[in-house]
Amino acid sequence: MHYNGWVFGHEVDRLMDSLTHPFGYSQPEVMIPMEIISDESVELPMWRSGWALVHPDPSVPIWSPDEQDFLTITWPTAVLRDLLGPCALLGKGHTESAGVARKHVVEIDGQWYAAVPRFFHTVGDHWSRIIASDRPALVTISGQEVATTTVADMDLDASFQVGGPSLIVGPEGPVYHDISWGFGDKEDSIARRRAVTEVLMTLPGDTPVTAIDFHT
């Protein structure tokens, strides 16, 4: 499936490359600890992650020489939010899990770590910039349909009408992601989308806004 997205800021490639997993492999960018953490000096609460080693199904062809055993690792969501920041793609639950290739699990000074994508999850397997003639994406205050514009020249309401995004990315990372196509709480989704976009519309007027396509 193809979805529309908007990226606010100059670093479109860097942000979207961190949010996609070409050929099924996410780019490991952030090291997350996998053990009990307890540091009374900073009043960090104790917690434990859980993991299980998963072996490839021998009946399924191996498409890449890098395919190997991987671990399914679960962390408390509150811990991940503290480590990764507000732009991490995390659900509303109490725990979040990820599949991590065994080669991306390392021991450093007696502590085990797992390397995960910068935003913990990814949104699709590839992305591209939308070409103006491809499909409607953004609308300027003069009514022109474009593939890129700026915060100052963007008609937000009209842009929502022609290219309502399933992904909105700010200069620091994703702030909205919903590909449910209305199967969830649609009114809540629309309200969240507008709320985060109105915050981004307070960025400097010359901030670029780029329409992108991402594929799941």
Side-chain angles (χ1 to χ4, degrees):
M1 297 292 292
H2 288 266
Y3 301 89
N4 281 357
W6 296 346
V7 182
F8 287 70
H10 295 275
E11 298 188 341
V12 180
D13 294 290
R14 182 177 68 87
L15 290 165
M16 289 308 303
D17 287 348
S18 291
L19 282 165
T20 48
H21 49 270
F23 308 107
Y25 295 99
S26 302
Q27 181 178 347
E29 297 180 83
V30 182
M31 303 297 289
I32 303 294
M34 294 172 55
E35 259 302 339
I36 294 175
I37 302 295
S38 180
D39 188 341
E40 295 179 0
S41 65
V42 295
E43 299 182 350
L44 186 67
M46 294 182 65
W47 59 272
R48 179 186 289 275
S49 58
W51 58 90
L53 181 64
V54 180
H55 298 287
D57 184 343
S59 66
V60 177
I62 294 178
W63 302 109
S64 165
D66 289 334
E67 289 191 27
Q68 56 178 313
D69 296 346
F70 69 94
L71 283 79
T72 297
I73 310 174
T74 302
W75 290 270
T77 305
V79 171
L80 293 173
R81 289 193 188 282
D82 182 61
L83 293 171
L84 300 175
C87 286
L89 287 173
L90 300 172
K92 298 179 180 179
H94 298 294
T95 58
E96 282 285 344
S97 62
V100 179
R102 195 169 184 174
K103 67 179 179 180
H104 294 148
V105 176
V106 297
E107 185 179 14
I108 303 174
D109 297 330
Q111 170 71 60
W112 285 94
Y113 291 83
V116 300
R118 177 183 173 196
F119 301 112
F120 194 72
H121 292 304
T122 50
V123 300
D125 53 26
H126 69 266
W127 74 278
S128 62
R129 296 170 189 259
I130 290 179
I131 300 172
S133 60
D134 184 18
R135 63 177 185 261
L138 297 165
V139 181
T140 67
I141 56 177
S142 64
Q144 182 182 8
E145 293 183 358
V146 295
T148 61
T149 185
T150 62
V151 165
D153 200 36
M154 179 177 175
D155 184 328
L156 182 59
D157 288 331
S159 295
F160 275 143
Q161 289 296 318
V162 302
S166 297
L167 173 71
I168 301 173
V169 183
E172 301 302 320
V175 294
Y176 174 84
H177 178 228
D178 187 345
I179 57 173
S180 64
W181 284 92
F183 292 109
D185 186 345
K186 190 173 183 179
E187 290 187 5
D188 175 68
S189 177
I190 292 173
R192 286 188 296 110
R193 184 179 68 179
R194 175 166 287 278
V196 299
T197 309
E198 287 179 347
V199 172
L200 293 174
M201 292 295 285
T202 65
L203 290 167
D206 61 351
T207 302
V209 185
T210 305
I212 60 99
D213 170 277
F214 66 102
H215 178 272
T216 61

